[in-house]
Every structure is written in structure tokens, then in C-alpha cells.
Amino acid sequence: MPRIAEARAGAEPSSPGQRARQLRILRAAAELAAEQDLDRVQMHEVAKAAGVAIGTLYRYFPSKTHLFTAVMAEQIEGFGARLPERGADSSPVDAVFETLASATHNLLRHPTLATAMIQSANSASAATVTDVTRVDIGFRDLMLKAWGVEHPAEQHLTRVRLLTLLWYGVLQSRLNERISAADAESDVRMACELLLAPGPTPLETRSG
């Protein structure tokens, strides 16, 4: 009988050895999900591939939602660490668009893994799946860095949040083959131009 996941946050590693085991679990999960749909990924297979006991796996990740949300958080942070600095000739809008286009390209290399991560993060509750906050903050910081905003005001955070939500939707439609690659790129480009244009938003203009 499958183990029923508890509604609790996973344990945090408290030593280098525990962190290394956690990373092995995340790598094993990513490799398995790159080969098959999320429903077919079994926790005991992840534990076996990572070389850890099933109890260790469940201590860190009480469910597949916890597990693949953490995989997504690690991938976003890794992507951010590899992201080059914006070139002097690149506009803020172009830099954000290029960042999103690069993230899309990386995710679409392994569609089943991308779907597993997005489904997990979208269904995760921040109260019990703490890594979903890492996902949100990590992606927010990526966008702000590309945009060149070091001290964001509320309007910056709102625009980035809306852009991120729109990008998730476009990516999901691309994964479902509901839109073409060209349309997905065009939609994201337009969203960047509309949401990141200099000056106040239409709502802020009306409020003033």
C-alpha cells in the first residue's frame, strides 16, 4: 500500500552529509522524472536511485509535491547562478525576455520533468511545502536582476509577479502543445514590453 504523505514540512539538513544526501535525492528524482510522467515516478525508486533509505527520503520530502517543488527550487537557483550579467547594450526589457526565453529552453529539454515541477509547485501550500517560497523568491530575484532593479518598490514586485504568472501559463500551454514555439515566444515578448515599460502602469495613472 502506498505511504500516505503527512501534511508537514520536510526536515532541513543540518550537516554537510545530510545536505549531500538531500542533493542525491533531488538529482535522482530529476533524472527519473525526465524519463517518465510524474504519476509513474515512485518514491521507493527515487530512494533506491539516490542510495538512501525510504525513511530518509520521506523525512526530507513527505510527498512527491514536496520533492519536485524542491527540485524546481534547486534548478531555479542553479539557473540564477549561471545567468550572465546583463550586457551594456541590452535593454532591461530585452534582458528579462532573454532570461525567460533561456529558462523556457532549459525546461523544454525535459518536458516531463518540467511538467512534474510545475504541477508540484502549483499545487503546493506554502504552509507545508516551504520550498515553494524558494521557487517564488528565486524566480522573482532572477527577474529583478535581469531588469536591473536593485531596490524594488511595490510596483516592481507586482509587475514581476504578473509577468511570472503569465510565463507559467505560456509555458504550460507550450508543454501541452496548445501553442507553437513562435507564438509562445511572441506572447512572452509582448508581456515583457507591456509590463516592464518605463513609467507608471495604466492603473497607477488612473489612481493619480
Side-chain angles (χ1 to χ4, degrees):
M1 178 180 296
R3 177 171 177 166
I4 298 174
E6 300 174 51
R8 63 172 177 83
E12 292 293 330
S14 58
S15 70
Q18 290 180 358
R19 176 59 174 161
R21 283 193 290 276
Q22 187 188 54
L23 289 174
R24 289 205 308 273
I25 292 169
L26 295 174
R27 283 194 294 269
E31 289 170 3
L32 287 169
E35 299 171 354
Q36 58 191 340
D37 292 339
L38 179 61
D39 289 344
R40 296 176 59 195
V41 176
Q42 301 299 314
M43 295 292 266
H44 69 86
E45 293 177 347
V46 175
K48 181 179 179 181
V52 302
I54 189 68
T56 299
L57 171 58
Y58 275 111
R59 184 166 69 251
Y60 293 127
F61 308 107
S63 71
K64 283 196 283 187
T65 296
H66 290 77
L67 177 57
F68 284 98
T69 300
V71 171
M72 188 170 188
E74 288 288 331
Q75 295 222 352
I76 289 172
E77 290 171 1
F79 177 73
R82 298 189 301 272
L83 193 67
E85 295 294 329
R86 176 160 62 92
D89 296 333
S90 180
S91 72
V93 170
D94 286 342
V96 173
F97 170 74
E98 289 163 7
T99 298
L100 290 172
S102 180
T104 301
H105 175 75
N106 286 344
L107 287 167
L108 291 178
R109 289 186 303 165
H110 302 291
T112 55
L113 173 58
T115 299
M117 293 190 295
I118 292 170
Q119 286 181 350
S120 297
N122 284 346
S123 64
S125 166
T128 55
V129 186
T130 55
D131 282 315
V132 77
T133 301
R134 287 176 60 204
V135 169
D136 293 342
I137 292 174
F139 215 84
R140 180 199 69 192
D141 289 350
L142 275 178
M143 297 298 95
L144 291 172
K145 178 182 177 182
W147 196 5
V149 176
E150 296 183 3
H151 305 289
E154 187 60 34
Q155 60 101 355
H156 295 111
L157 299 177
T158 299
R159 294 188 196 200
V160 165
R161 182 169 61 248
L162 289 171
L163 179 57
T164 301
L165 291 171
L166 186 143
W167 175 76
Y168 273 131
V170 171
L171 179 60
Q172 186 65 68
S173 293
R174 185 74 190 100
L175 287 166
N176 293 344
E177 299 183 344
R178 294 169 61 186
I179 60 176
S180 68
D183 283 344
E185 182 175 317
S186 176
D187 289 351
V188 173
R189 165 69 75 176
M190 181 178 289
C192 290
E193 291 173 352
L194 291 173
L195 285 168
L196 306 182
T201 65
L203 178 60
E204 291 167 338
T205 301
R206 290 197 299 272
S207 298

PDB file of all heavy atoms in Angstrom, residues 93-105:
ATOM      1  N   VAL A  93      14.088  45.415 -20.835  1.00  0.00           N
ATOM      2  CA  VAL A  93      13.037  44.539 -21.360  1.00  0.00           C
ATOM      3  C   VAL A  93      13.652  43.361 -22.110  1.00  0.00           C
ATOM      4  O   VAL A  93      13.237  42.206 -21.943  1.00  0.00           O
ATOM      5  CB  VAL A  93      12.080  45.327 -22.270  1.00  0.00           C
ATOM      6  CG1 VAL A  93      11.125  44.384 -23.012  1.00  0.00           C
ATOM      7  CG2 VAL A  93      11.275  46.329 -21.452  1.00  0.00           C
ATOM      8  N   ASP A  94      14.657  43.634 -22.940  1.00  0.00           N
ATOM      9  CA  ASP A  94      15.319  42.547 -23.672  1.00  0.00           C
ATOM     10  C   ASP A  94      15.987  41.567 -22.718  1.00  0.00           C
ATOM     11  O   ASP A  94      15.952  40.350 -22.938  1.00  0.00           O
ATOM     12  CB  ASP A  94      16.377  43.116 -24.623  1.00  0.00           C
ATOM     13  CG  ASP A  94      15.761  43.771 -25.846  1.00  0.00           C
ATOM     14  OD1 ASP A  94      14.586  43.503 -26.135  1.00  0.00           O
ATOM     15  OD2 ASP A  94      16.477  44.561 -26.510  1.00  0.00           O
ATOM     16  N   ALA A  95      16.600  42.085 -21.660  1.00  0.00           N
ATOM     17  CA  ALA A  95      17.297  41.214 -20.710  1.00  0.00           C
ATOM     18  C   ALA A  95      16.329  40.284 -20.002  1.00  0.00           C
ATOM     19  O   ALA A  95      16.613  39.088 -19.826  1.00  0.00           O
ATOM     20  CB  ALA A  95      18.059  42.061 -19.694  1.00  0.00           C
ATOM     21  N   VAL A  96      15.176  40.799 -19.595  1.00  0.00           N
ATOM     22  CA  VAL A  96      14.184  39.951 -18.935  1.00  0.00           C
ATOM     23  C   VAL A  96      13.633  38.925 -19.923  1.00  0.00           C
ATOM     24  O   VAL A  96      13.487  37.737 -19.595  1.00  0.00           O
ATOM     25  CB  VAL A  96      13.044  40.800 -18.341  1.00  0.00           C
ATOM     26  CG1 VAL A  96      11.929  39.900 -17.804  1.00  0.00           C
ATOM     27  CG2 VAL A  96      13.581  41.690 -17.224  1.00  0.00           C
ATOM     28  N   PHE A  97      13.336  39.367 -21.129  1.00  0.00           N
ATOM     29  CA  PHE A  97      12.833  38.439 -22.139  1.00  0.00           C
ATOM     30  C   PHE A  97      13.843  37.327 -22.409  1.00  0.00           C
ATOM     31  O   PHE A  97      13.487  36.145 -22.492  1.00  0.00           O
ATOM     32  CB  PHE A  97      12.516  39.172 -23.443  1.00  0.00           C
ATOM     33  CG  PHE A  97      12.232  38.235 -24.580  1.00  0.00           C
ATOM     34  CD1 PHE A  97      11.033  37.536 -24.640  1.00  0.00           C
ATOM     35  CD2 PHE A  97      13.183  38.035 -25.572  1.00  0.00           C
ATOM     36  CE1 PHE A  97      10.786  36.646 -25.679  1.00  0.00           C
ATOM     37  CE2 PHE A  97      12.937  37.156 -26.614  1.00  0.00           C
ATOM     38  CZ  PHE A  97      11.738  36.460 -26.669  1.00  0.00           C
ATOM     39  N   GLU A  98      15.101  37.689 -22.564  1.00  0.00           N
ATOM     40  CA  GLU A  98      16.135  36.688 -22.839  1.00  0.00           C
ATOM     41  C   GLU A  98      16.283  35.710 -21.679  1.00  0.00           C
ATOM     42  O   GLU A  98      16.533  34.513 -21.886  1.00  0.00           O
ATOM     43  CB  GLU A  98      17.458  37.385 -23.138  1.00  0.00           C
ATOM     44  CG  GLU A  98      17.472  38.095 -24.490  1.00  0.00           C
ATOM     45  CD  GLU A  98      18.589  39.114 -24.615  1.00  0.00           C
ATOM     46  OE1 GLU A  98      19.442  39.169 -23.693  1.00  0.00           O
ATOM     47  OE2 GLU A  98      18.606  39.857 -25.609  1.00  0.00           O
ATOM     48  N   THR A  99      16.116  36.195 -20.447  1.00  0.00           N
ATOM     49  CA  THR A  99      16.167  35.316 -19.282  1.00  0.00           C
ATOM     50  C   THR A  99      15.015  34.317 -19.316  1.00  0.00           C
ATOM     51  O   THR A  99      15.200  33.110 -19.090  1.00  0.00           O
ATOM     52  CB  THR A  99      16.110  36.140 -17.988  1.00  0.00           C
ATOM     53  OG1 THR A  99      17.256  36.992 -17.927  1.00  0.00           O
ATOM     54  CG2 THR A  99      16.088  35.241 -16.762  1.00  0.00           C
ATOM     55  N   LEU A 100      13.809  34.804 -19.611  1.00  0.00           N
ATOM     56  CA  LEU A 100      12.652  33.919 -19.687  1.00  0.00           C
ATOM     57  C   LEU A 100      12.779  32.941 -20.849  1.00  0.00           C
ATOM     58  O   LEU A 100      12.412  31.761 -20.727  1.00  0.00           O
ATOM     59  CB  LEU A 100      11.373  34.741 -19.825  1.00  0.00           C
ATOM     60  CG  LEU A 100      10.956  35.526 -18.585  1.00  0.00           C
ATOM     61  CD1 LEU A 100       9.783  36.447 -18.912  1.00  0.00           C
ATOM     62  CD2 LEU A 100      10.588  34.586 -17.445  1.00  0.00           C
ATOM     63  N   ALA A 101      13.292  33.417 -21.980  1.00  0.00           N
ATOM     64  CA  ALA A 101      13.471  32.529 -23.132  1.00  0.00           C
ATOM     65  C   ALA A 101      14.481  31.426 -22.816  1.00  0.00           C
ATOM     66  O   ALA A 101      14.288  30.259 -23.194  1.00  0.00           O
ATOM     67  CB  ALA A 101      13.927  33.338 -24.348  1.00  0.00           C
ATOM     68  N   SER A 102      15.548  31.786 -22.107  1.00  0.00           N
ATOM     69  CA  SER A 102      16.555  30.789 -21.726  1.00  0.00           C
ATOM     70  C   SER A 102      15.977  29.778 -20.742  1.00  0.00           C
ATOM     71  O   SER A 102      16.217  28.572 -20.855  1.00  0.00           O
ATOM     72  CB  SER A 102      17.773  31.485 -21.112  1.00  0.00           C
ATOM     73  OG  SER A 102      18.752  30.549 -20.740  1.00  0.00           O
ATOM     74  N   ALA A 103      15.195  30.258 -19.767  1.00  0.00           N
ATOM     75  CA  ALA A 103      14.559  29.356 -18.808  1.00  0.00           C
ATOM     76  C   ALA A 103      13.593  28.417 -19.517  1.00  0.00           C
ATOM     77  O   ALA A 103      13.540  27.209 -19.210  1.00  0.00           O
ATOM     78  CB  ALA A 103      13.824  30.161 -17.743  1.00  0.00           C
ATOM     79  N   THR A 104      12.843  28.942 -20.481  1.00  0.00           N
ATOM     80  CA  THR A 104      11.922  28.107 -21.248  1.00  0.00           C
ATOM     81  C   THR A 104      12.678  27.028 -22.001  1.00  0.00           C
ATOM     82  O   THR A 104      12.285  25.849 -21.997  1.00  0.00           O
ATOM     83  CB  THR A 104      11.125  28.978 -22.243  1.00  0.00           C
ATOM     84  OG1 THR A 104      10.398  29.969 -21.521  1.00  0.00           O
ATOM     85  CG2 THR A 104      10.161  28.129 -23.053  1.00  0.00           C
ATOM     86  N   HIS A 105      13.752  27.414 -22.663  1.00  0.00           N
ATOM     87  CA  HIS A 105      14.556  26.454 -23.425  1.00  0.00           C
ATOM     88  C   HIS A 105      15.092  25.345 -22.520  1.00  0.00           C
ATOM     89  O   HIS A 105      15.027  24.152 -22.870  1.00  0.00           O
ATOM     90  CB  HIS A 105      15.713  27.176 -24.111  1.00  0.00           C
ATOM     91  CG  HIS A 105      16.668  26.267 -24.816  1.00  0.00           C
ATOM     92  ND1 HIS A 105      16.375  25.653 -26.021  1.00  0.00           N
ATOM     93  CD2 HIS A 105      17.925  25.846 -24.473  1.00  0.00           C
ATOM     94  CE1 HIS A 105      17.401  24.889 -26.386  1.00  0.00           C
ATOM     95  NE2 HIS A 105      18.341  24.995 -25.476  1.00  0.00           N
TER      96      HIS A 105
END
